[in-house]
Amino acid sequence: MKKLKLSTAIAAIAWATISTSQVAHAGEINIIMEEVPDYDIVAKLTDQFTEQNPGITVNFDAMPFDAMRDKILTSSLAPSATYDVIIIDNPWTDEFARAGFLEPLDSLISSQDGYAYDDFVPALADISKVDGSIYGVPYYNYALGLIVRQDIFDSKGLAIPKTIEDYMSVVKSLTTNGMYGAAMQPQKGYKIMEEWKNWLYANGGELFDDAGNVIINNQAAIDALNQYIETHSQAAPPNSANWGFDEALRSVSSGKAATMLSYNWMLPALNAKGGMSGDLAGNFTLHEVPGGKSVLGLWSWGITANSDNKDDAWTFISWISSPEVAKQRAIMGGAPVRNSVMNSPEVWEKGYGKAYYTALADILDGSAPLSSGNNAEELIEIVGTELSAAVTGQKSVKEALDAAANGVERAIK
Amino acid sequence: MHIKYKLILPLVFLLSGIMLYPFIFSLWLSLQDYRLTRINDVQFVGFENFGFIATDQSFLNAMGNTISFVASAVIIELILGLSLALLIQKLLIFRGFVRSILLAPMFITPIAVGLMFRFLLNSEIGIIPFYLLRIGVSLDWFGPELALFSIVLIDVWQWTPFMLLMFLAGLEALPKTPFEAARVDGAGRWLTFSSITLPMLRPVIVVALIIRALDAFKVFEYVFAITRGGPGNSTETIMYYIYQTGFRFFRMGEAAAASILLIIFILVFVILIVNLSRPKVIK
Amino acid sequence: MIVSFENRLSRFLGTTAIFIAIILVLFPFLWIFLESIKPPSLGGRPDIWRFEPSWENWREIVFNSNVPLNILNSFFIALITVVISLICGAPAAYAFSRFRGFQGARYSILAAEMMPPAILILPLFLLLYKLELIDSRVGVITAHLTFVVPVVTWFLIGFFDEVPKDLEDQAMIDGYTRFQAFYKVILPAVRPGLAAAGIFGFVLSWNDLFYSLLLTGAESRTLPVAIAGFWTFRGIELGKMAVAILIAVIPVLILSYSIQKHLIRGIGGSGVKY
């Protein structure tokens, strides 16, 4: 009896402590994914891939955004990659490519029949080009758009605002009787940066000028931040200085706020019958952000430079991002990245309707990435912290932006 | 006595391996410019990291936040914990039951506590603001004015039970005779408390204080779950600062320097407290 | 007449205070439980109290998610951490309790408590990475040992203090060596203390987020990290997170209930004599 206990104990300890092999064997690929609706779609579609490619086993490791960066990093620093395929958030692209974590894809792309690389929206494909080589292919976009309650706009005879000044006056006028014009997301860090940069663009500003100088504290930025703060105090729900995605979304879906800047693919979710908006479903429409230039977010597929299964990895990537599968993905509700998909009547019919895709195409046309270059992640955090300090009144606009500029300058060294 | 060294050998061996060695590595790390994204390009920079960190507004802000947090939280927990312990001692029925309920929060994983309160107090989907609004009270629990205080409250919810535990133990271990004598002498409640209970509890209070304060310095989960240091920098605690510098910005050398400065600070703090609390020996 | 105070006012206030404390403690638990059985579409709506209870969240978590694996990981990591802690800590605690010259030991245990995880995480992370042990349970166990071993040892000192010295003196007179006396006589005598300290250490390891967050991967992920993971891009999945929290919390509450008396005695021993 004692012997049995001892041996089971030893076996248990052995299992628990000896790590299972993390590296994929031949014919097997590990893919890191973000836990989002688009992942569910990819997972479902992968059954087809496995049927067509019985020699390849695909393992997904899905996790929240925050956990991904460190994992990709450790995988890339290891002698053999834990992940063969990774998805790359656009701020990470330059950094990872220059650190040698990513495999160049140029020759793989050009030798892939029927891949139609030029079909990808150019603004998106360019994000993954670093120092003349291609390191990723687009997976899904998360460009921001303006989502409005069309029924409210119609009933008050309001036109969709095209400039930021129009937007400000429209949302202020809508803020009466318990309704608020805009649900905003001033949460420190990523969220506020993502939202505010649209305002910056509307004023003609950017993080860097063409020569690479930091211009985050120029007049355009000061104006943009002042406008943002003014709108937040006059048209946003009270006690929302901390709001991120969830709160703003809830505010809009429960009918408390009339507009929000959000990811374009939130529109179908908001309009889904029996979904989060309850009776309000169907009343939401999507438009370009005021000012016409929106913040672009993009996830791309990439192959890790230290992977042992690069061929299988490319087989998967080229399949999932091919025109046919991309169309299927869009029909199942995925966010499109190819022109052919956005212009396809079949997608319009089985997907979310022509209005959504044409609005999306417009948005993608005039969009620019949130951040690029080295240490983009750090930049976003630094600027986002200063912006939040300004919105909550802890610093003046000028102080905050100057501090942001200093932080950025230090970070890019 | 040879055996006594043999007995402590496994412990010493273990701790040297898992603590001493990393600690020394940390010291080395703090003198390098070590970026996780440029791991083959590590450069010796001497005390440059220390110089930067010690004058960095964010670091000083994080230390300031942490100190205010620790001071407020520990003092509140001390008072509440002691009061509850005294009350529980006086309970005639259900003592075990009440005790087990009141001790429960300290055993929950802090990330769960953080997330629970994130929802309970969220201005849009939280149940507490919802009902407060019904009675006309509009508070932004995680807005710039209240955020750090809300984190303090969460810490108080979770860790007052620890103080309670310490004081229950302390009270239980007190000898009964002085209290008998006091009762016989007709001493009132307050007098008994201030001249007998409190002084006898002094060692427990000091130990509880030190342990809780040291633990409070490490506050991370609540910030991570709820505010991520915001709004602005108002809830950025030192642990979050180090985590962010090392694991989000990948500046490991600076993070190591910051943690060493932290340790020095804590050391000074502990020495101060221990010295201040030395009971004066009455011969 | 629940509380024994001299006058009715104090009695009333005392009782009320305890009631309030109990409500404050129980309310979040109640709320979390309700959220876990709400149908997913109603999650996070503060105004809804009446609804059809739905076990869908529970089903999802128990059958369809990685949470069972996370539980297993948390369990084994905590178990092994505690076993190692007891093996190294018990003899040392005994030595600290019995022999002269170890007054400093009680302080140095506190010194180990002083080490903020922040200082150890960086070297541990880099060392484990070089040894290719990231995303392994070994890595996490190593990290957990750094804070469990000191605490467990510290508690045990108090328990050993309570055992009268005569016990081993008698054993040694009967022919045992010091170590045999320790192993065969004293150790059984402190068994409840070992259990209490062990359970306390188990809970500490089970609850850790900071080290697990940075040192685990898909295979070795622990429960607290999984709970944090419900804060996803689609917003926080409140119902599922509630289930995960309850699963993490209930076993711990049961365990902790069983050791409360012992903890109080043990702390009383080592805490007062500092």
Side-chain angles (χ1 to χ4, degrees):
Chain A
M1 196 46 204
K2 246 197 153 172
K3 264 219 164 138
L4 182 62
K5 270 203 214 165
L6 193 62
S7 37
T8 37
I10 293 182
I13 292 177
W15 173 82
T17 54
I18 296 174
S19 54
T20 50
S21 168
Q22 309 144 40
V23 178
H25 312 294
E28 200 184 332
I29 50 174
N30 292 335
I31 309 185
I32 189 173
M33 295 290 283
E34 189 196 4
E35 260 285 358
V36 276
D38 245 293
Y39 160 62
D40 297 334
I41 298 174
V42 169
K44 271 198 216 123
L45 283 173
T46 306
D47 292 337
Q48 281 179 33
F49 175 79
T50 320
E51 270 175 34
Q52 295 170 17
N53 298 283
I56 305 181
T57 321
V58 178
N59 301 321
F60 288 112
D61 185 11
M63 64 188 73
F65 176 71
D66 285 327
M68 293 183 66
R69 193 161 144 84
D70 319 315
K71 300 291 185 285
I72 294 178
L73 195 76
T74 41
S75 163
S76 303
L77 295 176
S80 250
T82 318
Y83 301 111
D84 306 283
V85 174
I86 61 173
I87 55 172
I88 314 165
D89 198 12
N90 59 302
W92 305 343
T93 316
D94 284 37
E95 185 177 42
F96 285 179
R98 294 197 184 123
F101 295 166
L102 301 172
E103 181 78 7
L105 303 174
D106 311 65
S107 48
L108 289 168
I109 292 176
S110 51
S111 57
Q112 187 81 13
D113 287 331
Y115 190 59
Y117 180 73
D118 298 324
D119 184 31
F120 287 118
V121 175
L124 301 182
D126 286 344
I127 287 178
S128 308
K129 291 192 187 145
V130 181
D131 297 336
S133 291
I134 304 175
Y135 288 96
V137 292
Y139 159 33
Y140 84 87
N141 82 77
Y142 56 98
L144 294 190
L146 177 67
I147 295 184
V148 307
R149 282 278 301 280
Q150 195 61 47
D151 55 324
I152 297 183
F153 272 63
D154 289 340
S155 72
K156 303 215 173 175
L158 292 167
I160 302 295
K162 291 265 172 260
T163 67
I164 201 73
E165 288 84 9
D166 283 345
Y167 180 67
M168 287 172 71
S169 59
V170 162
V171 293
K172 275 185 219 168
S173 72
L174 286 172
T175 308
T176 59
N177 293 341
M179 165 71 78
Y180 294 93
M184 299 174 75
Q185 302 166 53
Q187 189 185 69
K188 147 194 167 130
Y190 194 91
K191 294 313 294 180
I192 190 175
M193 179 64 171
E194 192 182 50
E195 186 176 56
W196 175 77
K197 211 168 184 233
N198 293 292
W199 296 65
L200 181 65
Y201 284 159
N203 281 280
E206 242 296 10
L207 262 181
F208 302 102
D209 64 14
D210 291 329
N213 300 316
V214 179
I215 54 169
I216 192 69
N217 52 349
N218 65 2
Q219 192 58 42
I222 294 178
D223 292 337
L225 191 49
N226 277 321
Q227 289 167 353
Y228 186 84
I229 293 176
E230 192 185 316
T231 311
H232 178 254
S233 62
Q234 293 180 1
N239 293 340
S240 65
N242 235 344
W243 279 19
F245 180 64
D246 311 306
E247 291 89 349
L249 187 67
R250 184 86 54 155
S251 180
V252 164
S253 67
S254 62
K256 278 224 302 266
T259 69
M260 79 180 285
L261 287 177
S262 184
Y263 306 115
N264 60 80
W265 36 259
M266 277 320 296
L267 183 77
L270 278 168
N271 276 333
K273 294 249 171 297
M276 62 176 77
S277 313
D279 295 331
L280 296 174
N283 286 322
F284 298 97
T285 53
L286 174 73
H287 308 273
E288 276 192 300
V289 306
K293 183 173 170 191
S294 59
V295 166
L296 172 64
L298 176 74
W299 283 97
S300 310
W301 298 103
I303 302 180
T304 48
N306 56 343
S307 160
D308 290 332
N309 300 316
K310 292 184 199 166
D311 294 329
D312 292 340
W314 175 248
T315 313
F316 178 79
I317 291 179
S318 56
W319 176 84
I320 189 85
S321 57
S322 63
E324 305 75 39
V325 182
K327 200 171 4 158
Q328 275 189 293
R329 240 194 68 224
I331 292 177
M332 288 170 75
V337 288
R338 282 178 173 275
N339 281 321
S340 63
V341 171
M342 287 191 284
N343 294 330
S344 149
E346 189 187 349
V347 173
W348 293 347
E349 194 197 306
K350 296 193 191 156
Y352 294 127
K354 182 171 176 188
Y356 168 66
Y357 294 102
T358 31
L360 176 58
D362 281 338
I363 291 175
L364 288 177
D365 240 359
S367 64
L370 180 58
S371 173
S372 57
N374 285 334
N375 298 340
E377 173 87 14
E378 194 177 342
L379 292 189
I380 294 174
E381 189 62 40
I382 290 175
V383 178
T385 304
E386 298 301 334
L387 291 174
S388 158
V391 168
T392 53
Q394 296 169 338
K395 285 190 184 170
S396 75
V397 165
K398 184 134 195 356
E399 270 180 333
L401 288 173
D402 286 339
N406 281 335
V408 170
E409 263 164 29
R410 183 173 189 266
I412 56 177
K413 264 201 290 227
Chain B
M1 288 242 232
H2 212 28
I3 183 77
K4 80 176 175 186
Y5 295 116
K6 278 200 209 154
L7 283 170
I8 66 171
L9 204 60
L11 184 69
V12 169
F13 198 62
L14 182 69
L15 287 183
S16 314
I18 62 176
M19 280 177 90
L20 197 61
Y21 180 41
F23 180 66
I24 296 178
F25 186 84
S26 226
L27 290 173
W28 174 84
L29 193 57
S30 66
L31 301 173
Q32 318 293 323
D33 180 12
Y34 195 119
R35 310 286 181 98
L36 266 185
T37 40
R38 291 187 231 153
I39 216 167
N40 297 315
D41 182 27
V42 175
Q43 307 195 351
F44 177 77
V45 289
F47 288 111
E48 199 177 287
N49 288 333
F50 285 98
F52 173 72
I53 297 282
T55 51
D56 181 24
Q57 202 47 42
S58 304
F59 173 76
L60 296 170
N61 174 267
M63 281 303 285
N65 285 339
T66 314
I67 293 172
S68 332
F69 170 81
V70 171
S72 331
V74 174
I75 291 176
I76 297 178
E77 287 157 20
L78 200 85
I79 297 175
L80 282 181
L82 186 54
S83 319
L84 281 173
L86 291 167
L87 281 175
I88 291 186
Q89 288 293 77
K90 297 220 193 262
L91 267 185
L92 297 171
I93 51 175
F94 296 136
R95 195 190 294 189
F97 173 72
V98 169
R99 193 177 62 197
S100 39
I101 292 190
L102 291 184
L103 286 182
M106 65 182 266
F107 293 107
I108 309 178
T109 175
I111 186 79
V113 174
L115 286 169
M116 284 199 311
F117 278 96
R118 179 174 199 252
F119 291 114
L120 285 172
L121 296 174
N122 185 284
S123 56
E124 181 61 27
I125 61 182
I127 215 174
I128 293 180
F130 184 73
Y131 285 110
L132 281 180
L133 216 57
R134 289 256 180 97
I135 60 173
V137 175
S138 166
L139 285 175
D140 189 5
W141 292 92
F142 297 114
E145 305 86 12
L146 282 183
L148 193 60
F149 180 67
S150 301
I151 307 265
V152 168
L153 285 183
I154 297 173
D155 194 85
V156 166
W157 186 89
Q158 174 149 37
W159 295 108
T160 303
F162 172 77
M163 292 301 224
L164 178 62
L165 181 69
M166 295 293 281
F167 288 128
L168 282 176
L171 286 172
E172 203 129 307
L174 291 181
K176 305 276 178 270
T177 33
F179 293 98
E180 286 298 316
R183 211 164 52 86
V184 163
D185 286 349
R189 257 193 356 257
W190 178 251
L191 194 60
T192 318
F193 176 70
S194 57
S195 0
I196 304 182
T197 324
L198 214 48
M200 286 211 285
L201 278 181
R202 192 201 202 128
V204 181
I205 293 181
V206 172
V207 170
L209 203 85
I210 294 184
I211 295 183
R212 188 73 266 284
L214 290 179
D215 222 35
F217 262 105
K218 304 182 206 157
V219 63
F220 175 79
E221 282 90 348
Y222 310 138
V223 177
F224 182 77
I226 311 176
T227 60
R228 297 285 164 113
N233 264 335
S234 54
T235 57
E236 191 168 279
T237 59
I238 190 66
M239 278 281 282
Y240 191 80
Y241 174 85
I242 294 175
Y243 157 75
Q244 189 173 69
T245 310
F247 288 94
R248 302 229 69 121
F249 303 164
F250 300 145
R251 296 167 182 264
M252 293 255 151
E254 283 175 28
S259 42
I260 290 179
L261 286 175
L262 173 65
I263 278 209
I264 294 176
F265 181 83
I266 290 182
L267 208 57
V268 169
F269 167 76
V270 169
I271 293 179
L272 266 169
I273 297 266
V274 169
N275 277 329
L276 280 176
S277 69
R278 280 263 141 78
K280 287 112 187 131
V281 180
I282 305 169
K283 288 259 157 59
Chain C
M1 262 284 278
I2 303 181
V3 180
S4 81
F5 268 115
E6 285 78 65
N7 56 49
R8 299 182 80 183
L9 181 63
S10 317
R11 233 183 289 152
F12 175 71
L13 288 177
T15 319
T16 317
I18 292 196
F19 265 121
I20 293 181
I22 292 183
I23 292 180
L24 285 177
V25 165
L26 286 181
F27 176 68
F29 286 105
L30 179 66
W31 174 79
I32 270 281
F33 177 68
L34 285 178
E35 281 294 332
S36 75
I37 55 173
K38 268 189 186 172
S41 57
L42 288 183
R45 301 274 299 274
D47 40 337
I48 300 198
W49 287 96
R50 274 175 229 249
F51 53 86
E52 274 293 310
S54 143
W55 294 99
E56 192 185 322
N57 289 319
W58 285 89
R59 270 198 296 270
E60 264 295 307
I61 293 286
V62 172
F63 297 119
N64 245 351
S65 74
N66 276 328
V67 169
L69 173 65
N70 298 324
I71 295 175
L72 232 58
N73 282 328
S74 280
F75 180 77
F76 270 109
I77 289 173
L79 187 67
I80 294 171
T81 303
V82 164
V83 165
I84 298 180
S85 304
L86 287 175
I87 292 178
C88 291
Y94 174 72
F96 293 155
S97 161
R98 288 299 189 250
F99 295 113
R100 289 286 119 89
F102 281 137
Q103 298 301 68
R106 297 171 200 249
Y107 277 108
S108 50
I109 292 296
L110 283 186
E113 171 78 1
M114 250 171 51
M115 286 280 212
I119 204 179
L120 292 175
I121 185 64
L122 302 162
L124 275 178
F125 180 81
L126 291 171
L127 288 172
L128 288 173
Y129 149 68
K130 290 214 195 281
L131 292 171
E132 296 180 31
L133 284 174
I134 304 279
D135 189 15
S136 72
R137 290 168 267 260
V138 174
V140 186
I141 291 173
T142 312
H144 283 190
L145 284 172
T146 62
F147 58 88
V148 173
V149 168
V151 171
V152 163
T153 312
W154 185 72
F155 267 122
L156 286 176
I157 300 179
F159 286 115
F160 280 117
D161 283 342
E162 298 225 321
V163 179
K165 288 208 173 182
D166 317 330
L167 223 57
E168 67 249 51
D169 288 344
Q170 187 61 44
M172 289 196 289
I173 292 176
D174 286 346
Y176 279 155
T177 66
R178 169 72 77 169
F179 187 76
Q180 283 173 323
F182 163 69
Y183 188 69
K184 297 206 174 169
V185 177
I186 306 293
L187 220 45
V190 290
R191 208 178 300 178
L194 289 175
I199 291 181
F200 194 71
F202 184 90
V203 171
L204 284 180
S205 166
W206 175 273
N207 284 348
D208 165 72
L209 175 81
F210 190 73
Y211 285 117
S212 323
L213 182 69
L214 299 167
L215 297 175
T216 61
E219 272 299 315
S220 55
R221 194 166 299 153
T222 59
L223 200 44
V225 181
I227 292 175
F230 283 105
W231 184 4
T232 68
F233 211 64
R234 351 166 188 235
I236 302 164
E237 299 183 296
L238 197 41
K240 291 204 214 151
M241 195 184 73
V243 173
I245 290 178
L246 283 171
I247 294 183
V249 160
I250 290 173
V252 167
L253 289 179
I254 296 174
L255 276 179
S256 65
Y257 177 72
S258 65
I259 60 166
Q260 273 171 21
K261 279 214 201 73
H262 299 291
L263 276 186
I264 292 181
R265 264 183 46 225
I267 295 175
S270 50
V272 180
K273 307 181 176 110
Y274 94 87

